[in-house]
């Protein structure tokens, strides 16, 4: 790059007398240029000419600009120099530093200073070389690595926040006078009572759809009575808790993120810390505890509503009365399926609440950031709920529960 400097530009910007001397200096020299460091000074000596370009290039290769940083530049030993030598010096020392050294008090003649200044200004204004676009495979590998790194970083931060929340919870549980009952009750009202109608309606409709699909398929085998088992088994074990958790992940986790994020934008979190209060204890624990109580209740409501929807379809389409439906459930569905489904609810609730609060703390301080982290909290919550439910289903199946 340096060696390819446009000589016509130099000729236009350097006086003709200097150009003549430069042409004269292009002749062979007996003393190639050298660089030495001594007592905080880098000394430039000898001839820096095109005829010694190979030797001078090896000097530049052996040294790095970082090795010469902070050292004073001494050009008093510089004998002769041309455009090629000046470009090598500028590439080695940096155009700004060399220009500063030439502009100050130095032992260079006016012609040498003008030449070096012209080369430094030309190299200083050159745009940075554009990197070649990576190949498709390289781009895919780089993108995959960046995604994996961001996921690992996200899991690391989430694990740390879960640990901080559990430590604060363990500290507060034996101290009832530190419990925040007012925000706890308000959070139960918001996350549980207000979500009850939509959870009941949603699971009722899904239960009706599952029963209708089951009846349509089982009718071909003359086994429509097993539609009852299908609806009861699916809602007691999976659908009841899963639908309630997904609904709360979209409804409540976003509300937690937006509320805490707005407090951070308004610097209310800084005010809480200034007053000596713990934001985890004040904002996170009431929400986490409220979710861990609300979601099991909503899960139970979802189970009942889903089976009610299935019972309605069985009564209207399959002529299976409600009494017969309940009798089949009582005789054919073990109680362990109910407990398996209900046991997942507190774990899902804890994760949803923690993710929603953590994304609120990560808001950067603008309305756009609040929206981005609200979306992120919903996506993360739903993803974690489905992931853990899949792992739990495999685990319980292998254990025979």
């Amino acid at each position: 790059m340096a060696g390819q400097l446009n000589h016509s530009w130099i000729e236009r910007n350097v006086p003709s007398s200097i150009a003549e001397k430069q042409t004269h200096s292009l002749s062979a020299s007996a003393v190639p240029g050298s660089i030495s460091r001594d007592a905080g000074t880098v000394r430039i000596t000898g001839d820096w000419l095109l005829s010694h370009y190979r030797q001078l290039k090896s000097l530049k290769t052996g040294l790095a600009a970082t090795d010469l940083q902070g050292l004073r530049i001494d050009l008093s030993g510089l004998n002769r120099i041309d455009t090629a030598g000046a470009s090598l010096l500028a590439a080695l020392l940096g155009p700004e530093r060399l220009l500063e050294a030439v502009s100050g008090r130095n032992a260079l003649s006016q012609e040498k200073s003008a030449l070096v200044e012209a080369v430094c200004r030309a190299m200083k204004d050159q745009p940075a070389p554009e990197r070649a676009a990576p190949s498709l495979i390289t781009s895919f590998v780089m993108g995959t690595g960046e995604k994996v790194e961001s996921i690992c970083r996200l899991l690391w931060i989430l694990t740390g926040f879960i640990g901080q929340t559990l430590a604060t919870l363990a500290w507060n549980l034996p101290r009832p006078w530190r419990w925040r009952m007012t925000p706890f009750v308000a959070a139960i009202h918001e996350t549980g009572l207000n979500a009850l109608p939509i959870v009941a309606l949603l699971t009722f409709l899904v239960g009706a759809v599952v029963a209708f699909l089951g009846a349509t398929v089982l009718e071909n085998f003359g086994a429509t009575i097993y539609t009852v088992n299908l609806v009861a088994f699916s809602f007691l074990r999976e659908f009841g808790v899963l639908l309630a958790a997904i609904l709360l992940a979209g409804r409540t986790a976003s509300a937690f993120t937006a509320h805490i994020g707005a407090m951070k934008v308004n610097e209310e979190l800084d005010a809480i810390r200034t007053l000596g209060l713990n934001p985890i204890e004040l904002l996170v624990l009431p929400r986490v505890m409220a979710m861990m109580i609300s979601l099991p209740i909503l899960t139970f409501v979802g189970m009942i509503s889903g089976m009610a929807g299935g019972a309605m379809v069985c009564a209207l389409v399959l002529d299976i009365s409600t009494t017969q439906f309940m009798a089949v459930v009582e005789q054919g569905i073990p109680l362990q399926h109910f407990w398996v489904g209900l046991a997942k609810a507190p774990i899902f609730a804890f994760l949803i609440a923690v993710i929603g609060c953590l994304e609120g703390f990560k808001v950067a301080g603008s309305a756009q950031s609040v929206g981005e982290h609200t979306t992120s909290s919903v996506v993360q919550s739903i993803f974690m709920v489905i992931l853990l439910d899949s792992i739990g289903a495999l685990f319980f199946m292998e254990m025979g529960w």
Side-chain angles (χ1 to χ4, degrees):
M1 174 190 70
Q4 298 174 353
L5 188 65
N6 191 346
H7 288 258
S8 61
W9 189 95
I10 300 297
E11 292 174 357
R12 289 197 303 270
N13 294 274
V14 178
S16 58
S17 59
I18 303 173
E20 292 173 2
K21 292 179 180 295
Q22 174 183 333
T23 304
H24 174 71
S25 63
L26 288 175
S27 61
S29 174
V31 184
S34 63
I35 297 178
S36 61
R37 288 175 290 181
D38 182 20
T41 302
V42 53
R43 303 185 190 282
I44 310 299
T45 58
D47 295 337
W48 288 71
L49 302 176
L50 180 61
S51 56
H52 305 304
Y53 188 82
R54 182 172 298 176
Q55 296 93 321
L56 299 175
K57 185 74 174 179
S58 64
L59 286 177
K60 179 181 177 298
T61 307
L63 292 173
T66 54
D67 299 335
L68 306 177
Q69 286 181 354
L71 302 179
R72 190 176 66 85
I73 300 175
D74 184 7
L75 299 172
S76 59
L78 181 63
N79 186 16
R80 291 185 295 176
I81 188 169
D82 61 1
T83 305
S87 63
L88 281 176
L89 266 182
L92 180 60
L93 300 174
E96 293 83 2
R97 291 189 63 203
L98 185 58
L99 184 61
E100 183 181 355
V102 172
S103 301
R105 297 180 57 184
N106 60 79
L108 291 182
S109 62
Q110 182 181 0
E111 292 81 2
K112 293 178 184 175
S113 298
L115 174 63
V116 174
E117 285 182 9
V119 172
C120 290
R121 293 186 189 283
M123 294 182 64
K124 183 180 177 182
D125 297 335
Q126 285 184 351
E130 296 182 359
R131 294 184 177 179
S135 63
L136 186 60
I137 297 177
T138 305
S139 301
F140 174 76
V141 173
M142 291 173 61
T144 304
E146 291 175 355
K147 291 293 183 184
V148 172
E149 182 186 4
S150 63
I151 292 174
C152 292
R153 187 184 301 114
L154 183 66
L155 290 176
W156 178 261
I157 296 174
L158 179 61
T159 304
F161 190 74
I162 289 175
Q164 191 175 4
T165 303
L166 290 177
T168 308
L169 180 63
W171 171 263
N172 278 268
L173 278 181
R175 298 170 176 81
W177 60 90
R178 298 184 67 90
W179 295 357
R180 308 286 177 177
M181 294 306 298
T182 302
F184 170 71
V185 175
I188 285 185
H189 180 270
E190 177 65 24
T191 62
L193 189 61
N194 290 348
L196 192 61
I198 187 64
V199 170
L201 177 61
L202 177 67
T203 51
F204 178 84
L205 295 176
V206 174
V209 171
V210 170
F212 184 76
L213 292 177
T216 303
V217 174
L218 293 174
E219 187 178 10
N220 299 327
F221 304 96
T224 53
I225 188 63
Y226 289 105
T227 303
V228 179
N229 299 70
L230 173 64
V231 172
F233 185 83
S234 59
F235 271 88
L236 288 179
R237 196 172 180 96
E238 296 294 338
F239 285 173
V241 61
L242 194 60
L243 291 175
I246 290 176
L247 193 64
L248 284 193
R251 182 181 181 277
T252 307
S254 59
F256 288 172
T257 303
H259 189 197
I260 297 177
M263 294 181 68
K264 188 173 183 181
V265 171
N266 296 328
E267 299 181 352
E268 295 178 43
L269 296 182
D270 297 334
I272 290 174
R273 294 189 179 95
T274 304
L275 293 173
L277 301 175
N278 185 359
I280 302 295
E281 177 183 348
L282 195 64
L283 301 175
V284 177
L285 286 189
R287 289 172 168 80
V288 171
M289 297 305 296
M291 280 286 289
M292 293 181 69
I293 292 177
S294 299
L295 188 54
I297 297 174
L298 292 176
T299 298
F300 178 75
V301 172
M303 293 174 180
I304 300 300
S305 300
M307 289 192 294
M312 184 193 71
V313 171
C314 289
L316 295 178
V317 178
L318 305 177
D319 291 332
I320 299 176
S321 64
T322 305
T323 305
Q324 187 178 2
F325 185 94
M326 294 301 299
V328 172
V329 170
E330 182 180 358
Q331 296 174 3
I333 305 299
L335 189 60
Q336 68 180 30
H337 300 309
F338 170 76
W339 293 117
V340 167
L342 204 61
K344 301 175 185 176
I347 301 174
F348 292 168
F350 180 81
L351 282 176
I352 293 170
V354 167
I355 291 174
C357 294
L358 175 60
E359 290 300 313
F361 282 108
K362 289 162 68 176
V363 169
S366 63
Q368 181 181 359
S369 181
V370 174
E372 292 174 352
H373 285 281
T374 300
T375 305
S376 177
S377 69
V378 174
V379 174
Q380 290 182 44
S381 302
I382 294 177
F383 175 78
M384 291 298 293
V385 165
I386 295 177
L387 177 65
L388 286 182
D389 187 68
S390 303
I391 296 174
L394 293 175
F395 174 76
F396 289 130
M397 184 178 66
E398 292 295 330
M399 296 298 293
W401 294 348

